[in-house]
Amino acid sequence: MSAATIQERLQGELERHLVPRDFVWGVSTSSYQIEGAAAVDGRGPSVWDGYSRVPGHVANGHTGDVACDHYHRYAEDTALMRGLGVNAYRFSVAWPRVLPAGRGAANEAGLAFYDRVIDGVLAAGIEPWLCLYHWDLPQALQDQGGWLNRDIAGWFADYATLVARRFGDRVKRFATFNEPGVFTLFGYGLAWHPPGLTDPAALHQAIHHVNLAHGAAVDALRAHVASASIGATHSVQPARPVDHTAADEAAATLLDEYWNKAFAEAQILGHYPPALARAVEPYVQAGDMERICRPTDWFGVNHYSPVFARADAAAPLGFAWADAPDNVPKTQVGWQVDPAAFRDTLVDLDRRYRLPIYVLENGAGGHEKLDASGNLIDLERIGYLAVYIGAMYDAIAAGADVRGYFVWSLLDNFEWGAGYDCRFGLVYVDPVTQRRIPKASAHWYANLIRGMVGEAPPQEP
Ligand code: FCB
């Protein structure tokens, strides 16, 4: 299908009012990935500051010290969002920027930064969606055990209270966590994120404590924000076996529990999936599941691509992460393109959890360079977004209650272990000059949101 045909089809869907007029169209970012200003105005260190400095942890030795310098360029970035015509912006607050030691004294300069961001987006007619935790744990708390210390649920609730009291007059949409299944598995099981462990017991303990922190934060947000609309953001991708052997199928079932269910099921259904229920049992105290399973208002889903597992008896978790098979379509960064998996995921989430769904991240990564005329015509990203948005429409047509869609990401940014050379932005960012250049996909997305076909999009190569 050409990009033009896809655009026409999407436009047709819009005109048939498949997507309601109040559908939320947004973009997402996160604090450590864009803010920079790591040691400015009293921000305390986060676990990512230290982790990224260790040789071998991040491609090319990149760190988030400067990132997109959003701390100083937020007004320009808000203008870019206004240009896109989005009506929502999901961002995260850096816990160590507002509480440099993780608890105790708040940092007024850090809070004032988020005042400026929030006031700016509201003035641009964009609703702020605030995420409390997108992986930048204060190092001071890590030094006290971090997610392995049960007290962290209370520390997180205190942080949520600070954020709620300060911003709750203007912000109503709150997510407690971004992708708890990812930062716990990568940080404690596979050693790809801080604190860099491969320790199943630590992983299970961290999972339970993150869940307790979620429940405590939901209560804090409810107590301090009138008409709050609260959820959490989960990475949900089909977990597939590399080979159709019984051992690989079992590995995929286990990966599915860690990645897709450890948090969503505990938080929304009040129980852990079967294998994990046994594993977390030593850490569960009386009343914990009630503390975790608090009523929320929506389900946030981040979706990109199926994930793969294979059995590995020597691996601490009994399974190994695997790449997508060779013979499937992939983005430039090797993630399988499978829009039907997105449709099926949305339909399944709708039936499983019975909450309104917001897609809070979806997008394509590339190793991209500007062309000779200084533009970036990212046809592959346009194609990816088009077929994924089409798949979302299919899910809505099949009855899934999907109410919003956010592209990851507004800007090319610090892509964790892959550093800055793995670009997900609608807007190109030059890491040296910090110049922002909207890519062709930014114009495409703006056209889609405006509900106008606009000029004919470029043909696929
Ligand atoms: C998600 C993360 C986000 C970004 C995208 C590509 O897992 O939430 O920060 O890295 O992947």
Side-chain angles (χ1 to χ4, degrees):
M1 220 190 297
S2 75
T5 318
I6 292 165
Q7 180 90 358
E8 261 167 39
R9 178 184 160 212
L10 293 175
Q11 194 58 34
E13 305 275 16
L14 277 173
E15 281 158 10
R16 286 204 301 279
H17 301 293
L18 189 56
V19 178
R21 284 203 179 281
D22 58 0
F23 193 83
V24 179
W25 293 102
V27 282
S28 285
T29 65
S30 90
S31 44
Y32 189 74
Q33 293 180 275
I34 65 165
E35 286 179 4
V40 171
D41 287 347
R43 176 187 177 276
S46 80
V47 289
W48 269 95
D49 294 278
Y51 183 84
S52 61
R53 275 188 173 62
V54 178
H57 279 173
V58 177
N60 306 308
H62 291 162
T63 74
D65 285 359
V66 177
C68 307
D69 196 28
H70 175 76
Y71 188 78
H72 298 110
R73 295 168 197 262
Y74 62 92
E76 183 183 354
D77 295 337
T78 304
L80 287 165
M81 285 191 270
R82 193 202 280 267
L84 288 174
V86 291
N87 48 30
Y89 172 47
R90 170 181 170 247
F91 67 105
S92 73
V93 168
W95 189 349
R97 195 179 288 290
V98 299
L99 282 166
R103 57 199 179 112
N107 177 27
E108 175 54 34
L111 291 165
F113 165 65
Y114 295 108
D115 278 335
R116 295 193 291 278
V117 169
I118 291 163
D119 292 345
V121 297
L122 285 169
I126 298 167
E127 186 179 23
W129 286 56
L130 187 157
C131 178
L132 287 172
Y133 189 82
H134 202 124
W135 306 352
D136 39 2
L137 181 71
Q139 182 62 43
L141 297 185
Q142 180 61 39
D143 296 342
Q144 295 160 71
W147 295 110
L148 302 186
N149 185 334
R150 190 176 161 103
D151 290 345
I152 200 166
W155 303 338
F156 192 65
D158 291 346
Y159 160 55
T161 300
L162 173 75
V163 168
R165 283 203 172 130
R166 177 73 173 224
F167 308 120
D169 56 337
R170 290 155 287 162
V171 179
K172 299 297 172 191
R173 303 284 200 165
F174 290 91
T176 54
F177 282 92
N178 176 69
E179 300 191 352
V182 177
F183 80 80
T184 51
L185 182 63
F186 283 5
Y188 296 85
L190 299 173
W192 293 342
H193 279 192
L197 302 179
T198 50
D199 178 346
L203 172 60
H204 301 139
Q205 198 173 19
I207 287 171
H208 190 59
H209 292 163
V210 169
N211 272 328
L212 286 170
H214 161 84
V218 171
D219 288 349
L221 293 166
R222 283 268 184 249
H224 295 288
V225 181
S227 339
S229 174
I230 303 170
T233 306
H234 304 278
S235 173
V236 186
Q237 331 291 330
R240 295 186 173 156
V242 155
D243 285 315
H244 288 284
T245 60
D248 282 2
E249 301 269 3
T253 302
L254 208 47
L255 175 59
D256 182 49
E257 288 203 10
Y258 283 109
W259 190 281
N260 296 317
K261 298 187 172 138
F263 298 90
E265 291 202 351
Q267 294 171 10
I268 302 168
L269 305 180
H271 59 72
Y272 283 102
L276 265 177
R278 286 187 296 278
V280 297
E281 211 181 315
Y283 313 109
V284 180
Q285 298 181 8
D288 275 4
M289 297 320 289
E290 291 71 29
R291 291 185 186 102
I292 291 168
C293 180
R294 313 299 296 152
T296 50
D297 302 297
W298 42 267
F299 187 99
V301 54
N302 296 350
H303 183 94
Y304 292 90
S305 172
V307 290
F308 291 86
R310 69 180 153 72
D312 181 351
L317 295 171
F319 69 85
W321 183 268
D323 289 335
D326 291 337
N327 57 347
V328 298
K330 292 178 187 160
T331 64
Q332 287 179 18
V333 299
W335 296 10
Q336 183 182 358
V337 178
D338 184 354
F342 186 36
R343 178 201 61 214
D344 294 347
T345 296
L346 293 171
V347 169
D348 181 61
L349 289 175
D350 181 76
R351 295 194 181 135
R352 197 179 275 274
Y353 300 119
R354 297 280 168 214
L355 283 171
I357 296 169
Y358 291 92
V359 178
L360 292 178
E361 286 185 24
N362 176 240
H367 302 294
E368 302 168 304
K369 294 202 177 356
L370 297 178
D371 64 21
S373 45
N375 295 315
L376 214 158
I377 311 297
D378 52 341
L379 295 178
E380 283 180 57
R381 181 169 295 102
I382 292 173
Y384 176 98
L385 294 174
V387 295
Y388 272 70
I389 292 171
M392 175 180 74
Y393 287 153
D394 290 342
I396 294 171
D401 184 9
V402 184
R403 300 194 186 174
Y405 174 91
F406 293 57
V407 172
W408 182 271
S409 182
L410 173 65
L411 305 170
D412 290 342
N413 59 47
F414 176 80
E415 179 46 34
W416 309 115
Y420 293 100
D421 294 339
C422 178
R423 296 171 174 273
F424 274 85
L426 295 173
V427 175
Y428 178 89
V429 177
D430 182 316
V432 178
T433 64
Q434 291 293 345
R435 194 161 159 230
R436 275 90 162 124
I437 301 167
K439 304 177 189 176
S441 57
H443 301 295
W444 181 89
Y445 192 46
N447 275 341
L448 177 78
I449 294 172
R450 271 198 296 272
M452 298 185 298
V453 175
E455 57 190 49
Q459 296 300 305
E460 276 173 343

